Amino acid sequence: MTGSYAELFFLVFFGLAAVWFGIVVFRTHSMVRSAMALLFSQTAVGAMFLVMQTEFLGVLQLMMMATEMSIMALFMVMFMMDPGGMGAMDMSHQKRLSLRAGGIGLVAALAVSWLPDWGPAASNIPDAGRQVELLGIELLGRSMFIFESAGLTILTSMIAATMVAIAPRKKEGAA
Amino acid sequence: MSIFYILLTLAIGAYFIAVVESWAVHGRFSLSRPAFSALALFGRESILARTPDRLFFESAPVLLLVAGLLTMAVIPLAPGLIITDLATGALFLNAALAYVLVALIMAGWGPNGGYAMIGGWRFLGQFIAYAMLIVMPITAVAMRAESLSTTLIVLSQAELWNVFYQPLGFVLFWIAAMGLAWLPPLDLPNAPGELAGGFEAEYTGARLAVLRLARMVIILALAGAIVTFYLGGWLGPWLPDWLWSVIKMLIVTTLMLTTGRLVPRVRESYFLAAGWKLGIPLALANIFLVGVIALVVDI
Amino acid sequence: MIVELSVALSVGAGLFAVGLYGALSQTNLVMIMMGIELILAAALVNLVAFWRYLHPDVISGQMFVLIVMTVMAVEMAVGFGIAVARFRSRGSVEMEEARELKG
């Protein structure tokens, strides 16, 4: 036991919440409940980040995922056949294959988590303000090229997504 | 102990907001009207929709109240009077305010009714217009303070308040704050004359009391955010610190509640166009200007 | 034997498995994208756990998390743009009906 019991308890609590909400996403029939369950799963992941003392990343995850998953809820209502879930339709295919794939992935990842000896736990974690400073210096120092190109990628994808999504306008006077 | 003081401020502030709002709506100033109407709400029958989504319907007002309280938790009323002084306080404020959106989507979808659903999705549509206008002015404020902690942001304004240093960001953040609290003229979600109350219409009785209380807490928290980021928090000449904070918050709240009613309701398409085509370039220009000034001048 | 690290990695494993099941078994494009979001969240949990318990002095771990979050947002935007275009031309985004390129 490296840290306190509180950290382990909250990690288990939020981790179970994240996985449970993730399962609810695919078990429920109502589409908006599915989107909200995904939102709360991401919130639990953000809370795990806060427990693991990465305050900036946790707060960022909470903020971004609340907005993104709400927009996903809107898209679900736009595109799904039964957003309220009152029809109780089963909208899945190749169930056995996907259950087997999920099972194999779970076993493999759990084996990697629990079997190796990861070495001694590190204990000199910079505090939250220092982490923000270090992130900023890293962003504008070593990783500046990466983020400049990421910014360019985001701009390109914004333009591409907008152009793909705009309805073609009919020309005046054409046949 | 500071939690007690902040909750006391919240209670008094929420009552003050109720008094001012009833004055703005009804035209008569009455100090006891909110207390009587709150008591009446608890006594009234709570009418439920026929087939609501119970989970969303019940939890939306509670989530709204939680979001407002979490926002208030990082706002400093005085140098030590803050519930939790996070090192990333400004960003945490933003994260808590994003859950207002989640709560309103749940409130819109829950009652299984047309007007409520339209009100909920209208809030999402408006939110997309001012989502960036909330974050980018905070970026400029944090640039000056060289920290995201709300206490340090207030302390960085000791020589010059941010409202004079970054007026563009102030205006943008004010508009976004009014949209986030669905105050007129950005009150399409509950459009009293047009949408029969929107998502607020399906809530009656005690749940409506919680919803209204949550809304007042959010308005107070947003006023607190404006005061912290732009109006110098607790800084002021003769009075004690917390009194300055409270006075500034109440002045901002009164202005938010009363001046918006003089303008007709803003249509969503206009607001989206203005927010993206005008607001975001202005916010980026604000960040650029603040960066240049911070490098050149020594305040 | 760092118990917290193994717990966090197990959470990542669980999220990955649920996301993989969802991405493979759902027919609607939006649900598939939700599965992909869960897989990316699992990757984020693993990254932060490794940073916190093994290498907290190297801030590049957190930088990687920021890049993955950026990728999540961009992928959602482009994916939903494509979904809107497909819905407009075909009337549905069911992947079972997307057989135009099938041999």
PDB file of all heavy atoms in Angstrom, chain B residues 218-249:
ATOM      1  N   ILE B 218     -26.981  29.919  -9.210  1.00  0.00           N
ATOM      2  CA  ILE B 218     -26.147  30.025 -10.406  1.00  0.00           C
ATOM      3  C   ILE B 218     -25.945  31.488 -10.775  1.00  0.00           C
ATOM      4  O   ILE B 218     -24.834  31.900 -11.138  1.00  0.00           O
ATOM      5  CB  ILE B 218     -26.791  29.254 -11.559  1.00  0.00           C
ATOM      6  CG1 ILE B 218     -26.642  27.767 -11.310  1.00  0.00           C
ATOM      7  CG2 ILE B 218     -26.152  29.601 -12.879  1.00  0.00           C
ATOM      8  CD1 ILE B 218     -27.366  26.937 -12.293  1.00  0.00           C
ATOM      9  N   ILE B 219     -27.006  32.308 -10.669  1.00  0.00           N
ATOM     10  CA  ILE B 219     -26.842  33.731 -10.994  1.00  0.00           C
ATOM     11  C   ILE B 219     -25.841  34.360 -10.040  1.00  0.00           C
ATOM     12  O   ILE B 219     -24.951  35.128 -10.443  1.00  0.00           O
ATOM     13  CB  ILE B 219     -28.196  34.454 -10.915  1.00  0.00           C
ATOM     14  CG1 ILE B 219     -29.121  33.955 -12.011  1.00  0.00           C
ATOM     15  CG2 ILE B 219     -28.014  35.943 -11.049  1.00  0.00           C
ATOM     16  CD1 ILE B 219     -30.479  34.573 -11.973  1.00  0.00           C
ATOM     17  N   LEU B 220     -25.947  34.012  -8.744  1.00  0.00           N
ATOM     18  CA  LEU B 220     -25.024  34.576  -7.768  1.00  0.00           C
ATOM     19  C   LEU B 220     -23.602  34.101  -8.033  1.00  0.00           C
ATOM     20  O   LEU B 220     -22.645  34.881  -7.945  1.00  0.00           O
ATOM     21  CB  LEU B 220     -25.468  34.163  -6.369  1.00  0.00           C
ATOM     22  CG  LEU B 220     -24.998  35.077  -5.255  1.00  0.00           C
ATOM     23  CD1 LEU B 220     -25.537  36.455  -5.473  1.00  0.00           C
ATOM     24  CD2 LEU B 220     -25.481  34.529  -3.931  1.00  0.00           C
ATOM     25  N   ALA B 221     -23.442  32.820  -8.379  1.00  0.00           N
ATOM     26  CA  ALA B 221     -22.108  32.304  -8.648  1.00  0.00           C
ATOM     27  C   ALA B 221     -21.516  32.971  -9.884  1.00  0.00           C
ATOM     28  O   ALA B 221     -20.319  33.280  -9.921  1.00  0.00           O
ATOM     29  CB  ALA B 221     -22.155  30.790  -8.830  1.00  0.00           C
ATOM     30  N   LEU B 222     -22.339  33.201 -10.918  1.00  0.00           N
ATOM     31  CA  LEU B 222     -21.826  33.876 -12.112  1.00  0.00           C
ATOM     32  C   LEU B 222     -21.451  35.316 -11.790  1.00  0.00           C
ATOM     33  O   LEU B 222     -20.433  35.818 -12.283  1.00  0.00           O
ATOM     34  CB  LEU B 222     -22.874  33.837 -13.218  1.00  0.00           C
ATOM     35  CG  LEU B 222     -22.953  32.506 -13.927  1.00  0.00           C
ATOM     36  CD1 LEU B 222     -24.193  32.439 -14.773  1.00  0.00           C
ATOM     37  CD2 LEU B 222     -21.729  32.308 -14.771  1.00  0.00           C
ATOM     38  N   ALA B 223     -22.254  35.989 -10.955  1.00  0.00           N
ATOM     39  CA  ALA B 223     -21.883  37.339 -10.541  1.00  0.00           C
ATOM     40  C   ALA B 223     -20.576  37.303  -9.757  1.00  0.00           C
ATOM     41  O   ALA B 223     -19.704  38.167  -9.930  1.00  0.00           O
ATOM     42  CB  ALA B 223     -22.993  37.948  -9.693  1.00  0.00           C
ATOM     43  N   GLY B 224     -20.422  36.287  -8.900  1.00  0.00           N
ATOM     44  CA  GLY B 224     -19.167  36.123  -8.185  1.00  0.00           C
ATOM     45  C   GLY B 224     -17.997  35.917  -9.116  1.00  0.00           C
ATOM     46  O   GLY B 224     -16.907  36.461  -8.912  1.00  0.00           O
ATOM     47  N   ALA B 225     -18.217  35.144 -10.187  1.00  0.00           N
ATOM     48  CA  ALA B 225     -17.142  34.928 -11.155  1.00  0.00           C
ATOM     49  C   ALA B 225     -16.771  36.232 -11.849  1.00  0.00           C
ATOM     50  O   ALA B 225     -15.591  36.546 -12.032  1.00  0.00           O
ATOM     51  CB  ALA B 225     -17.569  33.881 -12.181  1.00  0.00           C
ATOM     52  N   ILE B 226     -17.792  37.025 -12.242  1.00  0.00           N
ATOM     53  CA  ILE B 226     -17.500  38.303 -12.901  1.00  0.00           C
ATOM     54  C   ILE B 226     -16.725  39.211 -11.963  1.00  0.00           C
ATOM     55  O   ILE B 226     -15.752  39.862 -12.350  1.00  0.00           O
ATOM     56  CB  ILE B 226     -18.805  38.970 -13.366  1.00  0.00           C
ATOM     57  CG1 ILE B 226     -19.419  38.188 -14.502  1.00  0.00           C
ATOM     58  CG2 ILE B 226     -18.550  40.393 -13.804  1.00  0.00           C
ATOM     59  CD1 ILE B 226     -20.699  38.769 -14.995  1.00  0.00           C
ATOM     60  N   VAL B 227     -17.141  39.255 -10.691  1.00  0.00           N
ATOM     61  CA  VAL B 227     -16.453  40.114  -9.726  1.00  0.00           C
ATOM     62  C   VAL B 227     -15.028  39.638  -9.514  1.00  0.00           C
ATOM     63  O   VAL B 227     -14.084  40.435  -9.448  1.00  0.00           O
ATOM     64  CB  VAL B 227     -17.247  40.128  -8.401  1.00  0.00           C
ATOM     65  CG1 VAL B 227     -16.411  40.633  -7.271  1.00  0.00           C
ATOM     66  CG2 VAL B 227     -18.482  40.969  -8.553  1.00  0.00           C
ATOM     67  N   THR B 228     -14.826  38.322  -9.431  1.00  0.00           N
ATOM     68  CA  THR B 228     -13.482  37.797  -9.194  1.00  0.00           C
ATOM     69  C   THR B 228     -12.568  38.054 -10.370  1.00  0.00           C
ATOM     70  O   THR B 228     -11.417  38.452 -10.201  1.00  0.00           O
ATOM     71  CB  THR B 228     -13.554  36.285  -8.942  1.00  0.00           C
ATOM     72  OG1 THR B 228     -14.451  36.033  -7.901  1.00  0.00           O
ATOM     73  CG2 THR B 228     -12.192  35.734  -8.605  1.00  0.00           C
ATOM     74  N   PHE B 229     -13.094  37.824 -11.587  1.00  0.00           N
ATOM     75  CA  PHE B 229     -12.215  37.918 -12.746  1.00  0.00           C
ATOM     76  C   PHE B 229     -12.011  39.341 -13.207  1.00  0.00           C
ATOM     77  O   PHE B 229     -10.947  39.673 -13.715  1.00  0.00           O
ATOM     78  CB  PHE B 229     -12.790  37.116 -13.912  1.00  0.00           C
ATOM     79  CG  PHE B 229     -12.779  35.653 -13.687  1.00  0.00           C
ATOM     80  CD1 PHE B 229     -13.791  34.861 -14.190  1.00  0.00           C
ATOM     81  CD2 PHE B 229     -11.771  35.039 -12.976  1.00  0.00           C
ATOM     82  CE1 PHE B 229     -13.789  33.496 -13.988  1.00  0.00           C
ATOM     83  CE2 PHE B 229     -11.754  33.679 -12.773  1.00  0.00           C
ATOM     84  CZ  PHE B 229     -12.776  32.918 -13.278  1.00  0.00           C
ATOM     85  N   TYR B 230     -13.004  40.201 -13.061  1.00  0.00           N
ATOM     86  CA  TYR B 230     -12.912  41.503 -13.699  1.00  0.00           C
ATOM     87  C   TYR B 230     -13.029  42.692 -12.772  1.00  0.00           C
ATOM     88  O   TYR B 230     -12.515  43.751 -13.082  1.00  0.00           O
ATOM     89  CB  TYR B 230     -13.982  41.639 -14.799  1.00  0.00           C
ATOM     90  CG  TYR B 230     -13.645  40.808 -15.988  1.00  0.00           C
ATOM     91  CD1 TYR B 230     -14.251  39.583 -16.187  1.00  0.00           C
ATOM     92  CD2 TYR B 230     -12.689  41.227 -16.893  1.00  0.00           C
ATOM     93  CE1 TYR B 230     -13.908  38.808 -17.263  1.00  0.00           C
ATOM     94  CE2 TYR B 230     -12.345  40.454 -17.970  1.00  0.00           C
ATOM     95  CZ  TYR B 230     -12.958  39.257 -18.149  1.00  0.00           C
ATOM     96  OH  TYR B 230     -12.619  38.482 -19.210  1.00  0.00           O
ATOM     97  N   LEU B 231     -13.726  42.549 -11.639  1.00  0.00           N
ATOM     98  CA  LEU B 231     -13.988  43.716 -10.826  1.00  0.00           C
ATOM     99  C   LEU B 231     -13.184  43.732  -9.558  1.00  0.00           C
ATOM    100  O   LEU B 231     -13.519  44.426  -8.621  1.00  0.00           O
ATOM    101  CB  LEU B 231     -15.491  43.800 -10.498  1.00  0.00           C
ATOM    102  CG  LEU B 231     -16.348  44.088 -11.715  1.00  0.00           C
ATOM    103  CD1 LEU B 231     -17.803  44.009 -11.373  1.00  0.00           C
ATOM    104  CD2 LEU B 231     -16.030  45.468 -12.246  1.00  0.00           C
ATOM    105  N   GLY B 232     -12.124  42.937  -9.500  1.00  0.00           N
ATOM    106  CA  GLY B 232     -11.196  43.089  -8.398  1.00  0.00           C
ATOM    107  C   GLY B 232     -11.587  42.417  -7.106  1.00  0.00           C
ATOM    108  O   GLY B 232     -11.013  42.731  -6.072  1.00  0.00           O
ATOM    109  N   GLY B 233     -12.584  41.495  -7.153  1.00  0.00           N
ATOM    110  CA  GLY B 233     -12.849  40.676  -5.965  1.00  0.00           C
ATOM    111  C   GLY B 233     -13.113  41.474  -4.712  1.00  0.00           C
ATOM    112  O   GLY B 233     -14.086  42.193  -4.585  1.00  0.00           O
ATOM    113  N   TRP B 234     -12.213  41.364  -3.745  1.00  0.00           N
ATOM    114  CA  TRP B 234     -12.414  42.016  -2.463  1.00  0.00           C
ATOM    115  C   TRP B 234     -11.628  43.316  -2.344  1.00  0.00           C
ATOM    116  O   TRP B 234     -11.587  43.914  -1.279  1.00  0.00           O
ATOM    117  CB  TRP B 234     -11.985  41.076  -1.345  1.00  0.00           C
ATOM    118  CG  TRP B 234     -10.532  40.770  -1.368  1.00  0.00           C
ATOM    119  CD1 TRP B 234      -9.508  41.582  -1.000  1.00  0.00           C
ATOM    120  CD2 TRP B 234      -9.928  39.575  -1.807  1.00  0.00           C
ATOM    121  NE1 TRP B 234      -8.306  40.965  -1.152  1.00  0.00           N
ATOM    122  CE2 TRP B 234      -8.533  39.715  -1.661  1.00  0.00           C
ATOM    123  CE3 TRP B 234     -10.423  38.361  -2.304  1.00  0.00           C
ATOM    124  CZ2 TRP B 234      -7.646  38.725  -2.002  1.00  0.00           C
ATOM    125  CZ3 TRP B 234      -9.531  37.380  -2.640  1.00  0.00           C
ATOM    126  CH2 TRP B 234      -8.158  37.561  -2.492  1.00  0.00           C
ATOM    127  N   LEU B 235     -10.987  43.777  -3.425  1.00  0.00           N
ATOM    128  CA  LEU B 235     -10.114  44.939  -3.321  1.00  0.00           C
ATOM    129  C   LEU B 235     -10.947  46.209  -3.235  1.00  0.00           C
ATOM    130  O   LEU B 235     -11.839  46.439  -4.045  1.00  0.00           O
ATOM    131  CB  LEU B 235      -9.207  45.007  -4.543  1.00  0.00           C
ATOM    132  CG  LEU B 235      -8.296  43.795  -4.697  1.00  0.00           C
ATOM    133  CD1 LEU B 235      -7.678  43.793  -6.073  1.00  0.00           C
ATOM    134  CD2 LEU B 235      -7.231  43.807  -3.650  1.00  0.00           C
ATOM    135  N   GLY B 236     -10.626  47.075  -2.275  1.00  0.00           N
ATOM    136  CA  GLY B 236     -11.371  48.320  -2.128  1.00  0.00           C
ATOM    137  C   GLY B 236     -10.857  49.071  -0.927  1.00  0.00           C
ATOM    138  O   GLY B 236     -10.214  48.494  -0.061  1.00  0.00           O
ATOM    139  N   PRO B 237     -11.123  50.395  -0.859  1.00  0.00           N
ATOM    140  CA  PRO B 237     -10.441  51.240   0.135  1.00  0.00           C
ATOM    141  C   PRO B 237     -10.818  51.048   1.604  1.00  0.00           C
ATOM    142  O   PRO B 237      -9.994  50.606   2.377  1.00  0.00           O
ATOM    143  CB  PRO B 237     -10.751  52.666  -0.316  1.00  0.00           C
ATOM    144  CG  PRO B 237     -11.756  52.570  -1.357  1.00  0.00           C
ATOM    145  CD  PRO B 237     -11.827  51.183  -1.870  1.00  0.00           C
ATOM    146  N   TRP B 238     -12.069  51.364   2.053  1.00  0.00           N
ATOM    147  CA  TRP B 238     -12.244  51.509   3.497  1.00  0.00           C
ATOM    148  C   TRP B 238     -12.944  50.326   4.149  1.00  0.00           C
ATOM    149  O   TRP B 238     -12.665  49.968   5.258  1.00  0.00           O
ATOM    150  CB  TRP B 238     -13.069  52.770   3.806  1.00  0.00           C
ATOM    151  CG  TRP B 238     -12.529  53.981   3.155  1.00  0.00           C
ATOM    152  CD1 TRP B 238     -11.366  54.601   3.446  1.00  0.00           C
ATOM    153  CD2 TRP B 238     -13.133  54.698   2.076  1.00  0.00           C
ATOM    154  NE1 TRP B 238     -11.209  55.688   2.617  1.00  0.00           N
ATOM    155  CE2 TRP B 238     -12.256  55.777   1.768  1.00  0.00           C
ATOM    156  CE3 TRP B 238     -14.306  54.560   1.349  1.00  0.00           C
ATOM    157  CZ2 TRP B 238     -12.549  56.683   0.763  1.00  0.00           C
ATOM    158  CZ3 TRP B 238     -14.581  55.459   0.354  1.00  0.00           C
ATOM    159  CH2 TRP B 238     -13.701  56.520   0.080  1.00  0.00           C
ATOM    160  N   LEU B 239     -13.906  49.727   3.421  1.00  0.00           N
ATOM    161  CA  LEU B 239     -14.721  48.689   4.037  1.00  0.00           C
ATOM    162  C   LEU B 239     -13.937  47.389   4.137  1.00  0.00           C
ATOM    163  O   LEU B 239     -12.938  47.209   3.448  1.00  0.00           O
ATOM    164  CB  LEU B 239     -15.979  48.471   3.194  1.00  0.00           C
ATOM    165  CG  LEU B 239     -16.864  49.694   3.010  1.00  0.00           C
ATOM    166  CD1 LEU B 239     -17.935  49.391   1.991  1.00  0.00           C
ATOM    167  CD2 LEU B 239     -17.493  50.067   4.334  1.00  0.00           C
ATOM    168  N   PRO B 240     -14.402  46.455   5.006  1.00  0.00           N
ATOM    169  CA  PRO B 240     -13.727  45.149   5.076  1.00  0.00           C
ATOM    170  C   PRO B 240     -13.867  44.383   3.768  1.00  0.00           C
ATOM    171  O   PRO B 240     -14.744  44.665   2.961  1.00  0.00           O
ATOM    172  CB  PRO B 240     -14.462  44.431   6.217  1.00  0.00           C
ATOM    173  CG  PRO B 240     -15.702  45.178   6.417  1.00  0.00           C
ATOM    174  CD  PRO B 240     -15.453  46.592   6.027  1.00  0.00           C
ATOM    175  N   ASP B 241     -12.991  43.356   3.588  1.00  0.00           N
ATOM    176  CA  ASP B 241     -12.874  42.674   2.294  1.00  0.00           C
ATOM    177  C   ASP B 241     -14.177  42.036   1.863  1.00  0.00           C
ATOM    178  O   ASP B 241     -14.659  42.254   0.751  1.00  0.00           O
ATOM    179  CB  ASP B 241     -11.811  41.576   2.382  1.00  0.00           C
ATOM    180  CG  ASP B 241     -10.474  42.160   2.765  1.00  0.00           C
ATOM    181  OD1 ASP B 241     -10.322  43.370   2.618  1.00  0.00           O
ATOM    182  OD2 ASP B 241      -9.603  41.374   3.190  1.00  0.00           O
ATOM    183  N   TRP B 242     -14.767  41.235   2.785  1.00  0.00           N
ATOM    184  CA  TRP B 242     -15.917  40.447   2.368  1.00  0.00           C
ATOM    185  C   TRP B 242     -17.085  41.363   2.035  1.00  0.00           C
ATOM    186  O   TRP B 242     -17.906  41.062   1.175  1.00  0.00           O
ATOM    187  CB  TRP B 242     -16.295  39.464   3.477  1.00  0.00           C
ATOM    188  CG  TRP B 242     -16.490  40.096   4.805  1.00  0.00           C
ATOM    189  CD1 TRP B 242     -15.541  40.313   5.753  1.00  0.00           C
ATOM    190  CD2 TRP B 242     -17.704  40.616   5.316  1.00  0.00           C
ATOM    191  NE1 TRP B 242     -16.095  40.951   6.829  1.00  0.00           N
ATOM    192  CE2 TRP B 242     -17.427  41.139   6.595  1.00  0.00           C
ATOM    193  CE3 TRP B 242     -19.012  40.698   4.833  1.00  0.00           C
ATOM    194  CZ2 TRP B 242     -18.392  41.727   7.373  1.00  0.00           C
ATOM    195  CZ3 TRP B 242     -19.972  41.285   5.620  1.00  0.00           C
ATOM    196  CH2 TRP B 242     -19.655  41.801   6.875  1.00  0.00           C
ATOM    197  N   LEU B 243     -17.155  42.542   2.675  1.00  0.00           N
ATOM    198  CA  LEU B 243     -18.255  43.452   2.382  1.00  0.00           C
ATOM    199  C   LEU B 243     -18.133  44.004   0.972  1.00  0.00           C
ATOM    200  O   LEU B 243     -19.129  44.135   0.256  1.00  0.00           O
ATOM    201  CB  LEU B 243     -18.270  44.578   3.402  1.00  0.00           C
ATOM    202  CG  LEU B 243     -19.554  45.398   3.433  1.00  0.00           C
ATOM    203  CD1 LEU B 243     -20.719  44.474   3.685  1.00  0.00           C
ATOM    204  CD2 LEU B 243     -19.471  46.449   4.517  1.00  0.00           C
ATOM    205  N   TRP B 244     -16.890  44.296   0.568  1.00  0.00           N
ATOM    206  CA  TRP B 244     -16.691  44.749  -0.813  1.00  0.00           C
ATOM    207  C   TRP B 244     -17.137  43.677  -1.796  1.00  0.00           C
ATOM    208  O   TRP B 244     -17.815  43.972  -2.784  1.00  0.00           O
ATOM    209  CB  TRP B 244     -15.218  45.077  -1.058  1.00  0.00           C
ATOM    210  CG  TRP B 244     -14.856  46.508  -0.857  1.00  0.00           C
ATOM    211  CD1 TRP B 244     -13.907  46.994  -0.038  1.00  0.00           C
ATOM    212  CD2 TRP B 244     -15.426  47.638  -1.525  1.00  0.00           C
ATOM    213  NE1 TRP B 244     -13.838  48.359  -0.128  1.00  0.00           N
ATOM    214  CE2 TRP B 244     -14.757  48.782  -1.027  1.00  0.00           C
ATOM    215  CE3 TRP B 244     -16.440  47.810  -2.462  1.00  0.00           C
ATOM    216  CZ2 TRP B 244     -15.060  50.073  -1.452  1.00  0.00           C
ATOM    217  CZ3 TRP B 244     -16.747  49.100  -2.883  1.00  0.00           C
ATOM    218  CH2 TRP B 244     -16.060  50.207  -2.386  1.00  0.00           C
ATOM    219  N   SER B 245     -16.720  42.414  -1.532  1.00  0.00           N
ATOM    220  CA  SER B 245     -17.113  41.333  -2.439  1.00  0.00           C
ATOM    221  C   SER B 245     -18.620  41.256  -2.559  1.00  0.00           C
ATOM    222  O   SER B 245     -19.172  41.192  -3.656  1.00  0.00           O
ATOM    223  CB  SER B 245     -16.618  39.988  -1.918  1.00  0.00           C
ATOM    224  OG  SER B 245     -15.264  39.885  -2.010  1.00  0.00           O
ATOM    225  N   VAL B 246     -19.292  41.278  -1.414  1.00  0.00           N
ATOM    226  CA  VAL B 246     -20.747  41.102  -1.426  1.00  0.00           C
ATOM    227  C   VAL B 246     -21.415  42.274  -2.132  1.00  0.00           C
ATOM    228  O   VAL B 246     -22.321  42.092  -2.946  1.00  0.00           O
ATOM    229  CB  VAL B 246     -21.260  40.949   0.019  1.00  0.00           C
ATOM    230  CG1 VAL B 246     -22.749  41.014   0.061  1.00  0.00           C
ATOM    231  CG2 VAL B 246     -20.788  39.634   0.589  1.00  0.00           C
ATOM    232  N   ILE B 247     -20.934  43.493  -1.858  1.00  0.00           N
ATOM    233  CA  ILE B 247     -21.551  44.653  -2.508  1.00  0.00           C
ATOM    234  C   ILE B 247     -21.373  44.567  -4.020  1.00  0.00           C
ATOM    235  O   ILE B 247     -22.319  44.784  -4.797  1.00  0.00           O
ATOM    236  CB  ILE B 247     -20.934  45.951  -1.967  1.00  0.00           C
ATOM    237  CG1 ILE B 247     -21.389  46.195  -0.535  1.00  0.00           C
ATOM    238  CG2 ILE B 247     -21.309  47.134  -2.828  1.00  0.00           C
ATOM    239  CD1 ILE B 247     -20.784  47.418   0.074  1.00  0.00           C
ATOM    240  N   LYS B 248     -20.159  44.235  -4.457  1.00  0.00           N
ATOM    241  CA  LYS B 248     -19.930  44.152  -5.900  1.00  0.00           C
ATOM    242  C   LYS B 248     -20.790  43.074  -6.525  1.00  0.00           C
ATOM    243  O   LYS B 248     -21.379  43.257  -7.609  1.00  0.00           O
ATOM    244  CB  LYS B 248     -18.460  43.857  -6.176  1.00  0.00           C
ATOM    245  CG  LYS B 248     -17.540  45.011  -5.919  1.00  0.00           C
ATOM    246  CD  LYS B 248     -16.130  44.597  -6.239  1.00  0.00           C
ATOM    247  CE  LYS B 248     -15.149  45.526  -5.616  1.00  0.00           C
ATOM    248  NZ  LYS B 248     -13.766  45.086  -5.826  1.00  0.00           N
ATOM    249  N   MET B 249     -20.886  41.898  -5.849  1.00  0.00           N
ATOM    250  CA  MET B 249     -21.696  40.819  -6.411  1.00  0.00           C
ATOM    251  C   MET B 249     -23.150  41.240  -6.521  1.00  0.00           C
ATOM    252  O   MET B 249     -23.817  40.961  -7.525  1.00  0.00           O
ATOM    253  CB  MET B 249     -21.584  39.566  -5.534  1.00  0.00           C
ATOM    254  CG  MET B 249     -20.378  38.729  -5.846  1.00  0.00           C
ATOM    255  SD  MET B 249     -20.033  37.509  -4.595  1.00  0.00           S
ATOM    256  CE  MET B 249     -21.434  36.452  -4.732  1.00  0.00           C
TER     257      MET B 249
END
